[in-house]
Amino acid sequence: MFVVATAGHVDHGKSTLVRALTGMEPDRWAEERRRGMTIDLGFAWTTLPSGGTVAFVDVPGHERFVPNMLAGVGPVPAALIVVAADEGWMPQSAEHLAALDALGVAYGLLAVTRADLADPGPATARARAEIAETSLGAVPAVAVSGLTGAGLPQLRAALDRLAAQLPAPVVDDPVRLWVDRSFTVRGSGTVVTGTLGAGRLRVGDELELAGADEPVRVRGLHSLGEARPEAAAVARVAVNLRGTPRDRLGRGDALLTPGRFHHTDLVDVRLAGDPAADLPATLTLHVGSAAVPVRVRPLGPDTVRLRLARPLPLLVGDRALLRDPGRHHVSGGVRVLDVAPPPLGRRGAAAARAQVLAELDGRPDLAGELRRRRLIRAGALIRMGVPVHAEPVAGDWLADPAHWRRLGEQLTEEVARHAREHPLEPGMPVDALRQRLALPDRVLVEALVRPPLRIHAGRVGAASANALPEPVALAVQRVRAEYGDRPFRAPEADRLVDLGLGPREIGAAVRAGALLRLADNVVLLPDALDDAVRVLAGLPQPFTLSAARQALDTTRRVAVPLLELLDRRGATRRLPDDARIVVT
């Protein structure tokens, strides 16, 4: 199937032509049929000579219903431009063509209708000249009469050739189905319709309703009036949603593959049309089937920032158009450059941002995004529409290679500075490093650590982190020399000071494993615990505190905390009568 939208001035025979081609009535409302004028979108389809199917989105031509027309054209890849031979090029012909050009529609066909009423030559020449100046370029033209049927076979053949020119749809892409109609079917519930431009839908799929937190599930699928288990792009589809109230969604909403789209109310875009400086402060943005008021902030000659009245699921590279509804004027097309732009808080920020945007072309670029954002999660880029083919540096974090190298150098400098300023600490805390480097996640700090640095006990320091500063190491050597043959005797507080061990030095030695702290100002050499267990195991079991103190040749000041530490570690067990046994 391929999908084509009609375009053209009111009463130039768009609906008549669709009716003649398909045998179906595209005008759905009785009011439309009574007045002979299309008001809302119509839908019909037919089989082409090749056996392929073309589905038409028939749009209204009156200027009052341009928003409806744009809702139908937005998601469609090709257009059938209709001009009447007896009236020729008209104002809505021009506005519809401007809309197609703004949206970047590149495939189309010209049908000159009512060829039975006037020579189609002049209308054809004028229309082709106008169309040639747009994104559509040179298009084939067919003169037809919806009343007599003249030219219809040639038009069918031209539609077949147009279908063959269209690029192959990407059926593996995530689904973004812009809703152009929603209604309720008795016994089935809520049904929405739209043009599936990419991806694949299946019965049972769980989708995400743009702007809502609750998932929705596909209860049933129809395409071209038939129930189907699945539908692949490009296709007109009707989706029956399980348990979703009718008032929860309507035209301009979107059904999405969960987790694959960034919902944003702030975008930077490039203009193709009116200069940025000439745009009014408020316009309407038309994208897909949505029409959302926006506030416009010019940045550069052809770049602006748009603040949307409500978030939309937009991707880098999306095409949309800006329209001034008060003047019935298409201000121009836009191409989305950034769906998560930085704030512009400082003086000169807008001009600097314009320079950045001047280098962007709206094509997703992983290397460029990493260069600008420095660090970002892979999932965030995917939701922006940027393909990810790089290895994360940590977790799902991606980094610009140059920035990552600079961070590694800065980390080494910060650790060295901390060691100079805090010589008795065994390294810099990971969280302190994270803050100094302005990193969003501590796993990034851990990934930056390279030899000769290492992480130990939540700190980053030299690989020889257990090596003590020289003054502390000398003090520990004095303790070992003085107490090595009396391992269970602890220096008194004043003797610790004489040996050069104040509170900070003791803390450093304990962290490095050079001393064992039993209590405040009660320290032993680190082998004391194993030695104590061997001595106590040689006593008659159970043993008392007094017996332990005598066997260890120490004081109560040392024996009490030493035995309590052995209890906590499970080397000894205290009995109800306060005696102990060694646990073997």
Side-chain angles (χ1 to χ4, degrees), residues 1-2 77 107 162-173 196-199 232-235:
M1 182 195 311
F2 92 101
Y107 299 91
L162 176 62
Q165 295 173 7
L166 294 177
V170 185
V171 296
D172 294 331
D173 269 8
L196 182 63
V234 171

Side-chain angles (χ1 to χ4, degrees), residues 13-93:
K14 296 185 295 298
S15 297
T16 300
L17 185 59
V18 170
R19 196 178 299 117
L21 284 168
T22 66
M24 303 174 68
E25 176 55 68
D27 288 337
R28 296 178 290 110
W29 296 3
E31 175 71 7
E32 292 177 306
R33 292 190 289 273
R34 184 183 66 80
R35 295 170 60 178
M37 180 176 71
T38 301
I39 297 172
D40 204 353
L41 301 178
F43 309 98
W45 57 89
T46 190
T47 301
L48 295 172
S50 66
T53 301
V54 57
F56 293 97
V57 180
D58 188 34
V59 306
H62 197 282
E63 66 177 3
R64 286 187 299 163
F65 306 120
V66 167
N68 291 350
M69 173 267 181
L70 293 174
V73 169
V76 172
L80 175 63
I81 303 169
V82 178
V83 177
D86 57 337
E87 290 190 0
W89 197 252
M90 297 290 282
Q92 289 313 117
S93 308

Side-chain angles (χ1 to χ4, degrees), residues 195-267:
T195 299
L196 182 63
R200 187 187 303 271
L201 281 172
R202 297 179 178 88
V203 173
D205 278 355
E206 185 175 276
L207 300 174
E208 179 180 289
L209 176 59
D213 294 331
E214 300 177 12
V216 296
R217 191 169 294 279
V218 177
R219 180 181 181 181
L221 276 174
H222 279 71
S223 184
L224 306 185
E226 295 182 3
R228 301 176 186 269
E230 70 173 57
V234 171
R236 284 294 304 174
V237 294
V239 185
N240 181 202
L241 299 175
R242 186 188 307 276
T244 304
R246 161 70 180 81
D247 58 4
R248 288 290 306 280
L249 73 174
R251 178 173 293 172
D253 288 322
L255 297 178
L256 313 169
T257 298
R260 294 298 302 271
F261 291 88
H262 180 71
H263 297 79
T264 181
D265 63 356
L266 192 69
V267 293

Side-chain angles (χ1 to χ4, degrees), residues 106-172:
Y107 299 91
L109 182 62
L110 171 64
V112 180
T113 57
R114 303 213 289 254
D116 56 316
L117 300 181
D119 178 8
T124 301
R126 169 71 187 280
R128 293 190 71 181
E130 296 283 350
I131 296 169
E133 299 299 318
T134 71
S135 59
L136 287 153
V139 297
V142 180
V144 297
S145 169
L147 183 63
T148 67
L152 289 181
Q154 291 83 357
L155 181 57
R156 290 177 182 275
L159 286 167
D160 245 341
R161 291 191 293 272
L162 176 62
Q165 295 173 7
L166 294 177
V170 185
V171 296
D172 294 331

Side-chain angles (χ1 to χ4, degrees), residues 139-437:
V139 297
V142 180
V144 297
S145 169
L147 183 63
T148 67
L152 289 181
Q154 291 83 357
L155 181 57
R156 290 177 182 275
L159 286 167
D160 245 341
R161 291 191 293 272
L162 176 62
Q165 295 173 7
L166 294 177
V170 185
V171 296
D172 294 331
D173 269 8
V175 168
R176 178 174 50 173
L177 181 69
W178 293 101
V179 174
D180 52 37
R181 193 162 53 118
S182 64
F183 51 91
T184 300
V185 174
R186 185 184 299 274
S188 296
T190 300
V191 176
V192 300
T193 67
T195 299
L196 182 63
R200 187 187 303 271
L201 281 172
R202 297 179 178 88
V203 173
D205 278 355
E206 185 175 276
L207 300 174
E208 179 180 289
L209 176 59
D213 294 331
E214 300 177 12
V216 296
R217 191 169 294 279
V218 177
R219 180 181 181 181
L221 276 174
H222 279 71
S223 184
L224 306 185
E226 295 182 3
R228 301 176 186 269
E230 70 173 57
V234 171
R236 284 294 304 174
V237 294
V239 185
N240 181 202
L241 299 175
R242 186 188 307 276
T244 304
R246 161 70 180 81
D247 58 4
R248 288 290 306 280
L249 73 174
R251 178 173 293 172
D253 288 322
L255 297 178
L256 313 169
T257 298
R260 294 298 302 271
F261 291 88
H262 180 71
H263 297 79
T264 181
D265 63 356
L266 192 69
V267 293
D268 288 347
V269 303
R270 171 159 288 114
L271 299 169
D274 296 345
D278 294 344
L279 295 179
T282 58
L283 290 168
T284 297
L285 178 74
H286 293 267
V287 57
S289 62
V292 178
V294 296
R295 293 193 63 82
V296 180
R297 178 176 181 176
L299 298 175
D302 65 345
T303 53
V304 299
R305 175 161 292 186
L306 303 178
R307 172 73 69 177
L308 283 62
R310 65 181 176 91
L312 291 177
L314 300 180
L315 301 172
V316 172
D318 275 345
R319 300 295 295 259
L321 69 83
L322 290 171
R323 183 172 182 268
D324 186 344
R327 294 189 297 150
H328 302 288
H329 171 67
V330 174
S331 299
V334 302
R335 192 175 186 98
V336 175
L337 303 178
D338 194 341
V339 296
L344 301 176
R346 288 186 274 181
R347 183 183 298 275
R353 180 62 176 165
Q355 292 180 352
V356 172
L357 297 177
E359 300 176 359
L360 306 185
D361 59 7
R363 286 181 292 187
D365 171 27
L366 177 61
E369 292 291 341
L370 292 179
R371 188 168 56 252
R372 289 184 292 276
R373 300 181 188 278
R374 298 186 174 184
L375 284 167
I376 189 170
R377 292 185 184 275
L381 283 177
I382 291 171
R383 288 190 293 274
M384 294 177 191
V386 180
V388 172
H389 46 75
E391 288 296 320
V393 294
D396 67 340
W397 287 99
L398 299 173
D400 171 58
H403 180 61
W404 190 246
R405 285 193 297 273
R406 289 192 295 270
L407 284 172
E409 294 166 358
Q410 186 181 352
L411 180 140
T412 301
E413 294 168 0
E414 291 292 340
V415 171
R417 180 191 59 78
H418 187 273
R420 291 191 300 272
E421 296 176 359
H422 307 277
L424 298 182
E425 292 187 10
M428 187 171 183
V430 170
D431 281 335
L433 259 177
R434 183 185 64 79
Q435 294 174 16
R436 293 286 294 187
L437 300 179

